[in-house]
Amino acid sequence: MRLAGYIGAAGLALGLVASAGVSGAQAAEAGLSGYQGAWVLGGRDCADVYASAGKGPSFKKPLDIFAPAFVVSGNRLRTPAASCRIKAVRSMSDRQVLTLDCANLVAANEVRVIMATSPNGGLKRYYSDQDPTGVEYQRCSR
């Protein structure tokens, strides 16, 4: 399965606010502070995906590479199947388009993800520019 398929299955999601042309490190400083931490698909239990030990969020062992979850730390985004660097963020109406440089054990690929914040404190991932509903994610507490 291609990396994009793994990332889709892992359910990348996060909302970011930054201007076009901002580097990943600058974006992390400028607008990612509200998105740091662990996220899981709405309706799922954080305890099923994340381990509570350690200084930061980590995925439970054995690893479920298809778990719809991700962790944002600085300008890095990790899913159970891939590790990504946030290369660029640009605004598109009420959404943000993230360009991620992702790698897993098999391949490396550039991935485009469309996100937005939700009024309830969650995040939504949209599968295309025309997707009107998106998929909701909730933040997991530490």
Side-chain angles (χ1 to χ4, degrees):
M1 182 185 266
R2 291 185 2 189
L3 176 63
Y6 283 121
I7 291 171
L12 285 176
L14 84 124
L16 303 173
V17 180
S19 60
V22 174
S23 74
Q26 290 169 327
E29 293 172 14
L32 295 178
S33 63
Y35 304 104
Q36 302 298 305
W39 298 86
V40 69
L41 184 67
R44 302 292 291 276
D45 189 355
C46 294
D48 291 341
V49 178
Y50 294 105
S52 58
K55 62 180 180 178
S58 61
F59 296 107
K60 270 188 160 180
K61 305 284 188 224
L63 188 63
D64 175 2
I65 65 168
F66 298 108
F70 66 94
V71 176
V72 177
S73 180
N75 69 339
R76 306 291 302 177
L77 187 148
R78 290 181 292 121
T79 73
S83 179
C84 306
R85 181 177 60 88
I86 302 168
K87 288 175 44 174
V89 181
R90 67 175 174 85
S91 294
M92 179 180 72
S93 169
D94 62 338
R95 302 174 184 179
Q96 294 77 42
V97 179
L98 286 68
T99 303
L100 307 175
D101 187 15
C102 297
N104 66 14
L105 294 174
V106 180
N109 201 12
E110 186 173 283
V111 178
R112 179 179 175 253
V113 180
I114 302 170
M115 309 289 174
T117 57
S118 297
N120 66 0
L123 303 171
K124 281 194 175 186
R125 175 182 182 205
Y126 297 91
Y127 292 102
S128 72
D129 299 349
Q130 292 77 36
D131 180 357
T133 57
V135 178
E136 186 79 27
Y137 287 78
Q138 65 190 19
R139 185 189 304 265
C140 296
S141 61
R142 289 186 187 215

